[in-house]
Amino acid sequence: MEFKDYYKILGVEKEATQEEIKKAYRKLALKYHPDRNPDNKQAEEKFKEITEANEVLSNPDKRKRYDQLGANWKYHDQPGAGGPGMEDFFSQFGGRGGGRTTYQYQGDLGDMFGNIGGFSDFFESFFGGRGSGGQGGHFAGARKGQDYEANLNLTLEEVFNGVDRQISVDGKKLRVKIQPGTRDNTRLRLRSMGASGSHGGEKGDLYLNVHVLDHPFYEVKGDDLFYNLDVDLYTAVLGGNVQVQTLDHKTLSIVIPAETDNGKLLKLRGQGMVSKDSSSKRGDLYVRILVQIPKHLSKEEKELFKKLSQLRKD
């Protein structure tokens, strides 16, 4: 398995703090985010790479395993399963015994409510005949097949907008779909898509655990979105307009009132996350103002700030 140096990818030292990792990721994400690099495949791949690195290094448990095991850390990530990492999901899929096997991979969530036949054929090619619930020996009675469990990593844009596309797996075309409004930690059960049963028993089930990756700008709280907006000192003091790119690829013009404090929240109604219950309902968007202090001031600029300071005292 190819070893990826996540520290090198983010440009931080191995002893970096969580705050340093967060800052490094945010800086690179701002540079390579697909919204800022439309139709740029290299930037898209770079963004995926830094997102993967941040996903590991920002998680204390994953980071510890990564530091200890290097490229093999993903194998340890699935206790009792010995399952492959996401890049090996399709090439090395197989049961390891026990009542449920867990795998880690990244991709698109299947169309759970349509095209079920296609999914059944797809998972049959991987799971069929691969164990039967971890049961050994010969049993006279029918036994249900083994359940499988997989963790599915998705971007916030994918769960916000929904994804509908075709992929090819083992020569078979598969229609996959993400419904808008899907949330982090959603657990989906696909009946009869696990391992085949023994002695005529029914097939096991497949469980998919949805995990939404951290976004460099947005965070989700219920149906509301929070956006961290960097604003220069002069705009915060004097006021102005700043543009924000939304998750549905629209551009909003945000009015920054004069004398805006650092950390102030500006509320935009109906611009938040798509509701889990209805794609026509949305929460609110809260823009958090982060005032940026100018650095590397010239001698003339310092003199002007001194004069301004004196004026305020007077």
Side-chain angles (χ1 to χ4, degrees):
M1 181 185 297
E2 178 187 1
F3 173 69
K4 294 183 180 181
D5 190 336
Y6 293 142
Y7 293 101
K8 185 176 180 180
I9 290 172
L10 293 183
V12 297
E13 299 294 331
K14 191 172 182 179
E15 297 76 20
T17 64
Q18 287 296 312
E19 185 62 27
E20 289 172 334
I21 290 172
K22 181 179 180 180
K23 287 182 178 179
Y25 167 67
R26 190 164 185 265
K27 180 180 179 180
L28 291 171
L30 283 167
K31 181 178 179 181
Y32 292 105
H33 196 277
D35 287 344
R36 297 195 174 190
N37 301 273
D39 302 322
N40 187 332
K41 290 295 183 183
Q42 289 184 333
E44 182 180 346
E45 290 303 316
K46 183 66 176 178
F47 180 75
K48 291 180 180 179
E49 189 177 51
I50 62 177
T51 299
E52 178 183 341
N54 178 69
E55 187 70 15
V56 175
L57 299 186
S58 63
N59 183 304
D61 292 334
K62 290 183 179 180
R63 182 180 181 181
K64 182 178 180 181
R65 290 195 296 270
Y66 173 77
D67 290 340
Q68 293 175 341
L69 304 173
N72 295 317
W73 76 273
K74 291 180 183 178
Y75 289 93
H76 187 74
D77 195 37
Q78 317 300 338
M86 60 185 176
E87 68 270 20
D88 300 318
F89 177 70
F90 293 117
S91 62
Q92 299 182 23
F93 220 117
R96 303 296 181 110
R100 177 172 297 164
T101 302
T102 304
Y103 300 93
Q104 177 80 20
Y105 69 98
Q106 181 170 337
D108 298 315
L109 185 62
D111 185 352
M112 305 308 165
F113 309 106
N115 195 28
I116 294 299
F119 261 84
S120 180
D121 294 339
F122 165 66
F123 285 109
E124 173 71 27
S125 66
F126 290 106
F127 295 113
R130 293 292 194 106
S132 52
Q135 303 150 16
H138 178 78
F139 296 93
R143 303 295 295 271
K144 182 180 178 180
Q146 183 178 1
D147 291 340
Y148 288 96
E149 186 166 337
N151 299 322
L152 182 63
N153 294 331
L154 302 171
T155 66
L156 186 56
E157 284 86 354
E158 285 176 325
V159 296
F160 181 92
N161 297 294
V163 175
D164 191 358
R165 65 171 69 114
Q166 265 194 348
I167 63 173
S168 180
V169 180
D170 196 25
K172 294 183 178 181
K173 288 186 177 181
L174 180 67
R175 178 173 174 261
V176 294
K177 187 175 184 179
I178 301 294
Q179 296 291 344
T182 301
R183 291 295 195 271
D184 188 37
N185 294 324
T186 297
R187 193 165 187 263
L188 301 174
R189 178 187 182 188
L190 306 185
R191 294 180 180 274
S192 301
M193 292 186 184
S196 297
S198 62
H199 306 288
E202 63 179 321
K203 296 182 68 174
D205 301 323
L206 171 64
Y207 293 86
L208 294 179
N209 301 311
V210 175
H211 174 52
V212 181
L213 300 172
D214 290 336
H215 195 278
F217 318 123
Y218 286 96
E219 59 179 312
V220 181
K221 293 183 179 180
D223 287 344
D224 295 329
L225 287 172
F226 287 76
Y227 183 95
N228 291 327
L229 178 63
D230 293 335
V231 175
D232 63 77
L233 177 64
Y234 315 105
T235 301
V237 173
L238 302 175
N241 293 317
V242 180
Q243 291 186 333
V244 172
Q245 190 79 23
T246 64
L247 293 174
D248 50 355
H249 311 297
K250 296 179 181 177
T251 301
L252 296 179
S253 182
I254 308 295
V255 177
I256 308 297
E259 303 177 8
T260 295
D261 291 328
N262 181 56
K264 182 179 178 62
L265 288 176
L266 303 178
K267 181 178 180 179
L268 303 178
R269 293 185 180 276
Q271 296 295 328
M273 192 66 181
V274 177
S275 173
K276 293 184 295 183
D277 303 320
S278 173
S279 59
S280 62
K281 296 180 180 179
R282 292 179 61 174
D284 299 322
L285 170 61
Y286 292 86
V287 178
R288 182 183 294 112
I289 303 300
L290 302 179
V291 179
Q292 303 299 298
I293 303 299
K295 303 293 193 300
H296 311 297
L297 297 176
S298 67
K299 183 178 180 180
E300 182 180 3
E301 287 174 321
K302 290 180 181 178
E303 289 299 326
L304 289 173
F305 270 104
K306 288 179 181 178
K307 290 181 181 180
L308 179 60
S309 176
Q310 189 60 46
L311 285 173
R312 297 295 295 177
K313 291 179 181 178
D314 294 340

